[in-house]
Amino acid sequence: MFKTKTLWMFLLKAVILYGLLALPLPFYNEMYGAFYRSMATTFFEKFGDGGLVKFEKQEGVFTTRIVILNTKKARADGALYGGSCEINPRYYGYVPTILLISLIIASPVPRKRKLVALLVGLILLYALILFKQWIILLTLCDQGGADLGLMTFNSFQLKLLRITSNILYKSVSPVMYFTVAIWLLVTFRMDDLRSVNETIRSAKK
């Protein structure tokens, strides 16, 4: 059974590590922003039939501008039909990443299990982050409609997209909840969770 002291040490380590990684240093934002744009470009530069997606660096709170264009459809003046939105990769990817890393490193489990948990956890987390980015692009296609002409959705698909968009795109919190769930899934075994539960119950007595 985990001791109460062990749980308190875990919380202290996790808070300190997260606090250090979450410091609002320009270096963190610039490095991660460049990584996010490069990763997103690799997966989504070509989108749908004739779609071209650009992830552009810009100044301000929203450090990345996402532009989606239909290379097969131009206006009378030659300009391509398109849409755009702005995001901050710090909140879309960096914060969930450092939360997961902090929780895993601080967890009172063997080092080998931590390494496996980091690898598997980051793979699962970035699958979620890329899924969220995909939803953002589908939402831009929805907003662009027939003018953009990259995607068509039936009524069920459109309803499902808008629900998912409201959950993932327009709020940061759900991804954080998923991050905690991933941490629990990849780091602990059922016996560990029972032990934590027993420790908490004992501390209340």
Side-chain angles (χ1 to χ4, degrees):
M1 183 174 74
F2 288 120
K3 297 180 180 179
T4 304
K5 181 181 177 181
T6 302
L7 296 182
W8 281 113
M9 285 301 297
F10 154 70
L11 288 173
L12 181 61
K13 290 177 183 177
V15 168
I16 291 174
L17 183 55
Y18 179 82
L20 291 173
L21 293 174
L23 289 171
L25 300 177
F27 175 77
Y28 287 169
N29 292 337
E30 290 174 7
M31 289 291 290
Y32 188 82
F35 164 75
Y36 185 95
R37 288 186 291 272
S38 176
M39 175 186 68
T41 299
T42 299
F43 282 92
F44 300 113
E45 185 175 23
K46 294 181 180 179
F47 194 76
D49 184 19
L52 174 66
V53 182
K54 299 179 181 180
F55 297 87
E56 303 173 342
K57 179 181 178 181
Q58 65 179 20
E59 300 301 322
V61 176
F62 299 100
T63 57
T64 297
R65 182 169 181 258
I66 302 172
V67 179
I68 185 167
L69 302 167
N70 187 341
T71 60
K72 295 184 177 181
K73 189 176 182 183
R75 303 176 191 273
D77 60 1
L80 298 176
Y81 281 94
S84 68
C85 69
E86 298 175 329
I87 66 168
N88 188 334
R90 176 180 177 86
Y91 301 110
Y92 276 69
Y94 182 71
V95 170
T97 299
I98 64 172
L99 175 61
L100 181 65
I101 290 173
S102 300
L103 290 172
I104 291 176
I105 291 178
S107 295
V109 297
R111 185 174 300 176
K112 184 177 179 180
R113 201 194 304 179
K114 288 183 183 181
L115 292 175
V116 174
L118 276 172
L119 177 61
V120 178
L122 287 172
I123 290 173
L124 292 175
L125 177 60
Y126 274 84
L128 175 62
I129 290 171
L130 288 170
F131 176 72
K132 180 174 182 174
Q133 181 57 68
W134 181 62
I135 292 297
I136 293 173
L137 295 175
L138 291 180
T139 301
L140 288 177
C141 290
D142 173 29
Q143 293 171 350
D147 287 338
L148 180 57
L150 276 177
M151 296 276 182
T152 55
F153 306 97
N154 60 39
S155 58
F156 173 75
Q157 292 170 333
L158 197 55
K159 185 176 182 179
L160 182 61
L161 171 61
R162 290 175 179 174
I163 291 173
T164 308
S165 179
N166 285 331
I167 295 172
L168 290 178
Y169 175 23
K170 299 179 182 178
S171 176
V172 176
S173 299
V175 174
M176 302 300 281
Y177 299 144
F178 280 118
T179 302
V180 173
I182 289 171
W183 162 62
L184 292 171
L185 177 66
V186 301
T187 307
F188 298 102
R189 297 167 182 166
M190 287 303 299
D191 290 343
D192 297 324
L193 297 178
R194 292 192 192 99
S195 179
V196 170
N197 187 42
E198 290 174 7
T199 301
I200 293 173
R201 286 184 176 182
S202 298
K204 289 180 179 181
K205 294 180 180 179

